[in-house]
Amino acid sequence: MNTILEVRSGPAYYACKANVLENLEVKLSRGNIRKVLVIHGQKSWEVTEPFFLP
């Protein structure tokens, strides 16, 4: 089997502050990040969904 599994111990960037998602688009753009994986629960997705879907 020629499958590579990559595991990272934590995020490369972590911010915890009020209204942190207001700058999400800028942060992703600066990092040239085009795809993300979001692991969430139902309630947290209801709050964050508007920041991910146009």
Side-chain angles (χ1 to χ4, degrees):
M1 182 183 226
N2 261 346
T3 303
I4 296 174
L5 173 64
E6 292 184 22
V7 178
R8 297 187 178 139
S9 62
Y13 175 81
Y14 180 85
C16 182
K17 62 181 181 178
N19 303 313
V20 70
L21 293 177
E22 298 292 333
N23 297 315
L24 178 63
E25 188 173 358
V26 172
K27 295 288 185 187
L28 295 176
S29 179
R30 283 184 185 162
N32 198 27
I33 299 168
R34 298 173 193 231
K35 295 181 182 181
V36 298
L37 170 66
V38 179
I39 300 173
H40 59 83
Q42 182 63 36
K43 289 181 181 180
S44 62
W45 181 247
E46 290 171 4
V47 173
T48 58
E49 182 179 21
F51 294 94
F52 288 92
L53 302 176

